[in-house]
Amino acid sequence: MNKIIHDFIKEIDSRNSHEPEFMQAVREVSEDLIPYIVGQKIYHGKNILMRMIEPERVVMFRVNWIDDSGEIRVNRGYRVEMNSAIGPYKGGLRFHPTVNLSILKFLAFEQVFKNSLTTLPMGGGKGGSDFDPKNKSDGEVMRFCQSFMTELYRHIGPNTDIPAGDIGVGGREIGYLFGQYKRLKNEFTGVLTGKGVSWGGSLIRPEATGYGTVYFAEDMLNHIGDSIKGKTVTISGSGNVAQYAAEKCIHLGAKVLTMSDSSGYVFDKDGIHEEKLNYIMDIKNNKRGRISDYIKKYPKAEFKKNKTPWEVKCEIALPSATQNELNGDDAKLLVKNGCICVAEGANMPCNSDAIKTFKFNKVLFAPGKASNAGGVAVSGLEMAQNSLRYSWSREEVDEKLKEIMIKIHKKCLKHGKTKDYIDYGKGANISAFIKVADAMLAQGVV
Ligand code: NDP
């Protein structure tokens, strides 16, 4: 079996060796799926995994815009349309200077599996730009978004491809992108999710990824007769996912010890309670400030410059910033310090060594494609509400989100249960694969 996996990876690598993040995601999925596929007559010999790894379409384009000083700037825009077997392409847009094709292909590939797990009819895609919205004026961000959409609009649509937010793309950016799409198409449709509530957005969409991650951690703990209540939690990031993961932890009675950004982390041994979290939300969302501002208001807390929170003793860790932010050494330290549960709020925040360490030590470990699927699930609910031209209440959406997270947990159990451990990664990969593969087989070689 190892040889089959090795040969398969070698072949993929020969075409994508310059895309390390994409190869990392492909390797992780292949190691779970190939042994499964080989044992299943209906999938074996159909080259089905190879077909899933190759994007259906990749669009790359120039984005020109004019900054506040009148200078012409040039960025690169992308959309990776990975797989549409079970529904239109769906996945976020990321604006960050590190964005490149490798990162977007890894995110799009993961998205196909994640969207399959949600039980909703959504294919997978991802896009974005190397544009950095940090330190840009609202006018500059608007002009960039308008220019970006002036090309992207011809590739997307409510029945074709429905982008959403991701790192660097929040409510402000979605607003500008939606405005430009509407102007170009003269259509008010649900072409983007994460919209404002007064113009087609869904309640709970901003909260959904963070809340969903915590619901999933709670489902894992409940399954072993435990719960999040009273536990200590470290969280990385202080953006959309991290903020609402922290909020839900607080609501469920846990103590949040850390939050971070790319400059370092804050450690508050008394816990980041609701009022403190509101302060962080204000710094990050309204003032566009840094996490280090926290200690100006709460001087008893510490700011650790250029460090990640994994050195802090905790029972639960929720990495919610970015890919590969938690490595093997961090994982060993977390295990040594008594961490029993890790749920990924971000996409692929734990590298392969970290995942191996968690599995070896039987730590409950949820891969992002399962634990952070709440965001895209509520995006799917936003699409449903747009089609119905109707809005569900906060309670209705939250209830549906909880139900979806429970269903995802059950799917992971079905294919991930071993004698003395639940391999949530394997469970998620196999369950997600079956739905997409069955649809691809039914639709022929296209
Ligand atoms: P935001 O832009 O709102 O926040 C990102 C946070 O991560 C910020 O605190 C940012 O710090 C930090 N960060 C970004 N890059 C780095 C880096 N290289 N090193 C350290 N910290 C970094 O993004 P989101 O919260 O929306 O997304 C976070 C993660 O969750 C991503 O992996 C995303 O793909 C994933 N995700 C998001 C979903 C959503 O609905 N938003 C859905 C599913 C997954 P700084 O401000 O310093 O840049």
Side-chain angles (χ1 to χ4, degrees):
M1 184 56 63
N2 283 347
K3 181 164 172 9
I4 302 177
I5 297 173
H6 175 266
D7 291 350
F8 182 80
I9 297 289
K10 204 169 148 197
E11 190 178 344
I12 306 288
D13 198 48
S14 68
R15 269 190 272 168
N16 302 284
S17 58
H18 53 296
E19 294 175 344
E21 292 85 1
F22 178 56
M23 282 309 303
Q24 183 183 341
V26 167
R27 199 169 293 118
E28 184 260 328
V29 168
S30 304
E31 282 169 4
D32 285 336
L33 286 183
I34 291 175
Y36 175 76
I37 292 170
V38 167
Q40 303 288 320
K41 253 199 185 134
I42 48 163
Y43 305 125
H44 191 41
K46 308 270 171 40
N47 230 358
I48 198 87
L49 191 53
M50 188 68 86
R51 285 151 68 188
M52 279 187 192
I53 284 165
E54 202 56 31
E56 288 178 16
R57 188 177 300 104
V58 176
V59 190
M60 193 167 129
F61 50 96
R62 184 181 69 189
V63 188
N64 293 336
W65 58 282
I66 299 178
D67 70 18
D68 285 347
S69 65
E71 202 176 309
I72 298 171
R73 304 277 202 105
V74 183
N75 283 99
R76 196 171 277 179
Y78 307 84
R79 187 72 183 162
V80 178
E81 295 183 334
M82 198 77 195
N83 193 300
S84 60
I86 61 169
Y89 311 106
K90 177 89 197 95
L93 296 171
R94 177 176 292 191
F95 292 170
H96 195 271
T98 57
V99 163
N100 58 35
L101 206 49
S102 171
I103 289 183
L104 294 178
K105 278 174 68 182
F106 119 64
L107 289 164
F109 182 62
E110 289 284 294
Q111 194 81 44
V112 173
F113 289 76
K114 184 188 307 191
N115 292 2
S116 167
L117 287 172
T118 63
T119 69
L120 303 173
M122 298 180 289
K126 199 85 188 186
S129 171
D130 58 359
F131 171 77
D132 187 358
K134 243 183 249 149
N135 304 319
K136 301 284 190 306
S137 69
D138 284 353
E140 288 176 323
V141 171
M142 182 181 76
R143 291 193 292 281
F144 172 81
C145 288
Q146 289 176 342
S147 182
F148 182 84
M149 186 52 88
T150 302
E151 173 58 34
L152 187 69
Y153 89 98
R154 38 184 127 242
H155 309 289
I156 61 175
N159 296 312
T160 313
D161 184 350
I162 308 95
D166 190 73
I167 292 179
V169 179
R172 174 183 62 171
E173 289 76 16
I174 293 290
Y176 295 147
L177 291 163
F178 183 77
Q180 182 71 351
Y181 181 88
K182 185 164 64 66
R183 176 160 75 171
L184 292 165
K185 294 283 284 190
N186 194 25
E187 267 177 20
F188 193 111
T189 56
V191 66
L192 290 158
T193 57
K195 300 185 290 296
V197 172
S198 61
W199 43 281
S202 174
L203 289 161
I204 304 278
R205 176 60 190 92
E207 294 91 337
T209 309
Y211 278 18
T213 302
V214 178
Y215 290 150
F216 198 89
E218 180 74 333
D219 291 338
M220 291 197 293
L221 287 160
N222 287 170
H223 188 72
I224 57 160
D226 204 342
S227 97
I228 215 165
K229 196 168 177 200
K231 298 267 187 312
T232 48
V233 185
T234 50
I235 298 179
S236 62
S238 49
N240 172 268
V241 179
Q243 290 175 12
Y244 289 105
E247 182 171 278
K248 187 49 75 180
C249 285
I250 297 166
H251 289 171
L252 294 181
K255 188 176 186 181
V256 176
L257 297 175
T258 67
M259 290 184 77
S260 72
D261 63 21
S262 52
S263 61
Y265 76 91
V266 286
F267 170 44
D268 189 333
K269 66 173 175 9
D270 298 329
I272 299 172
H273 55 54
E274 196 135 19
E275 184 199 308
K276 294 173 177 177
L277 178 63
N278 286 339
Y279 180 68
I280 292 179
M281 288 181 172
D282 187 44
I283 301 171
K284 297 301 282 189
N285 306 346
N286 305 326
K287 307 210 164 76
R288 301 198 182 267
R290 309 303 296 154
I291 196 70
S292 52
D293 296 341
Y294 184 86
I295 53 166
K296 291 184 196 151
K297 173 120 175 163
Y298 301 105
K300 278 205 235 155
E302 296 169 61
F303 174 63
K304 307 272 189 178
K305 199 172 169 192
N306 295 330
K307 294 261 175 123
T308 54
W310 318 124
E311 58 193 14
V312 173
K313 188 172 159 60
C314 67
E315 291 157 299
I316 299 171
L318 305 176
S320 305
T322 193
Q323 65 274 355
N324 293 327
E325 53 162 319
L326 195 162
N327 63 29
D329 290 340
D330 298 325
K332 281 182 199 136
L333 197 53
L334 279 167
V335 172
K336 189 171 149 235
N337 282 335
C339 179
I340 57 164
C341 173
V342 179
E344 294 186 329
N347 286 313
M348 210 168 73
C350 300
N351 75 6
S352 313
D353 288 346
I355 296 173
K356 277 189 198 121
T357 303
F358 293 137
K359 286 187 183 173
F360 181 77
N361 289 283
K362 307 232 168 7
V363 171
L364 293 174
F365 171 75
K369 72 190 74 163
S371 48
N372 73 33
V376 72
V378 173
S379 275
L381 300 179
E382 182 173 329
M383 288 159 65
Q385 292 169 84
N386 291 164
S387 298
L388 292 168
R389 303 206 182 281
Y390 188 74
S391 302
W392 292 319
S393 70
R394 216 182 142 76
E395 291 70 27
E396 281 172 305
V397 180
D398 197 26
E399 211 36 59
K400 289 181 201 302
L401 169 63
K402 271 188 214 155
E403 276 169 27
I404 289 172
M405 297 317 294
I406 288 172
K407 280 186 195 161
I408 297 174
H409 184 258
K410 281 195 181 137
K411 281 170 174 250
C412 293
L413 288 186
K414 186 168 177 196
H415 291 281
K417 217 169 185 167
T418 61
K419 214 166 55 208
D420 58 348
Y421 184 62
I422 296 153
D423 185 339
Y424 282 94
K426 185 174 171 189
N429 283 333
I430 295 176
S431 293
F433 167 83
I434 291 171
K435 184 172 175 188
V436 178
D438 288 352
M440 287 174 75
L441 290 180
Q443 291 166 25
V445 180
V446 291

